[in-house]
Amino acid sequence: MRTQVAIVGAGPAGLLLQQLLHVAGVESVILEQRTRDYVESRIRAGVLEQGTVRLLEQVGVDARMRAEGLVHDGVSMAVDGRRFRIDLKGLTGGDSVMVYGQTEVTKDLIAAAEARGAPVIFAASGVALGGVEGDRPFVTWRKDGREERLDCDYIAGCDGFHGICRASIPPALIQGYERVYPFGWLGILADVPPCHHELIYATHERGFALASMRSASRSRYYIQAPVDEDLAAWPDARIWDELALRLGPEAAAGMARGPSIEKSIAPLRSFVAEPMRWGRLFLAGDAAHIVPPTGAKGLNLAASDVCFLSQALITRFRDGSEAGLDGYSARALARVWKAERFSWWFTGLTHRFPDMDGFSRRMQTAELEYIRGSRAAQQAMAENYVGLPLSGG
Ligand code: RFL
Ligand code: PHB
């Protein structure tokens, strides 16, 4: 089998890259280790930046998002139960975010690939890369007991943080920068109406909490919890009680409780690998970097990476120029580091750290109070939250 671009991983990065290439007439094949059912049922992020919305529009995969997604013009902060609002739209001159689950984005992109006949090979095991440093790279895998091989011009490593693409790069040629946080997020999904019409990011003596949603009848909540916490210690009733405390009385009054339909703990990590290229392999999305979910940036960075990568690949196939590919890593990393900074800052501002002393706690409170009272501080926050521009890196 032969194609122009072999894409490893059918997460948002791989699926969106395939559609961006497809509309420009560049062929690709996606190899995914999981089944389609598994990929379509993973519960992850929920907030799309304007740039991500526009990319989905550009590839014509926006109909359901436009119909079912919720446009949010603001977010709230709750500090020890006292709330204030960040007017995203007013502070950014008209930008907002779209609340639409990553699960739905993934389903829409897979349906589009199917409709266009763009190949996605699910349940491909033992994916391995070859010839990356030469000009004839290839990918091999096993499926249904058979060994398969795909020859290509370039490989896109879109296989997430635990994938094999970054791990295939000789250690001397790549450098990782990392912060691991000493806590995680315990998340629940429940078919109850949200407690408020916009998201609430709460910081409290007892730790961080977030009230989010997937629709007018489905809520997504998170609380900061020890990363090795036993989920059995958190029956639904305890989670609702803890959310009510951390989100504050106003939110608690509007909070409908119901049985969780999903419950899990995710670790928090900041990580960036440099460069995002090795020979004919280009990394995109979580394969190259991870952010703590506080800034809602993970999925959006995957989208901006593949926007830059698709432009570089399309130019290469149209006029033979490799300049875009040579500049890809630097261009993507310039935006990645800014989102890393925002996600790290917002995490530090809103979480309780085990080694926090009275001084650090008061610095947090002072900064939160400064944001509450300062339009300039709110504007800086809003500008980052809605997403920095894709143009210019
Ligand atoms: P993904 O979505 O991880 O997709 C990678 C795909 O590659 C496949 N894969 C392989 N395929 C073939 N061979 C191999 N050897 C392979 N190894 C892996 C995987 O099965 C998968 O289908 O990466 P991508 O496309 O870069 O997208 C990034 C986003 O998914 C990610 O940034 C966000 O979801 C991060 N994230 C969250 N972000 C938020 O903004 N808000 C959240 O609430 C939020 N929750 C989460 C998250 C990430 C999580 N992870 C990675 C464990 C919750 C979790 C649990
Ligand atoms: C979510 O709805 O899953 C979500 C929203 C905002 C975040 C993180 C997760 O910052």
Side-chain angles (χ1 to χ4, degrees), residues 44-47 185 199 201 210 212 214 220 222 293-296:
R44 287 189 179 173
V47 177
W185 276 19
L199 272 60
Y201 288 87
L210 168 61
S212 182
R214 289 293 175 272
R220 178 77 164 153
Y222 298 94
T294 326

Side-chain angles (χ1 to χ4, degrees), residues 7-16 30-35 38-39 42-47 102 106 121-128 141 157-165 185 201 210 212 214 220 222 262 264-267 284-303 305-306:
I7 300 174
V8 185
L15 289 164
L16 182 56
I30 299 183
L31 299 159
E32 164 61 48
Q33 68 178 358
R34 304 286 190 175
T35 63
Y38 183 97
V39 169
R42 271 193 301 230
I43 313 283
R44 287 189 179 173
V47 177
Q102 179 172 332
T106 304
I121 299 173
F122 289 99
S125 62
V127 172
W141 69 97
C158 302
D159 52 348
F161 184 64
H162 299 287
I164 51 97
C165 289
W185 276 19
Y201 288 87
L210 168 61
S212 182
R214 289 293 175 272
R220 178 77 164 153
Y222 298 94
E262 197 262 354
S264 55
I265 298 187
D286 279 15
H289 42 73
I290 293 284
V291 284
T294 326
K297 293 283 166 255
L299 165 61
N300 294 297
L301 281 180
D305 283 356
V306 298

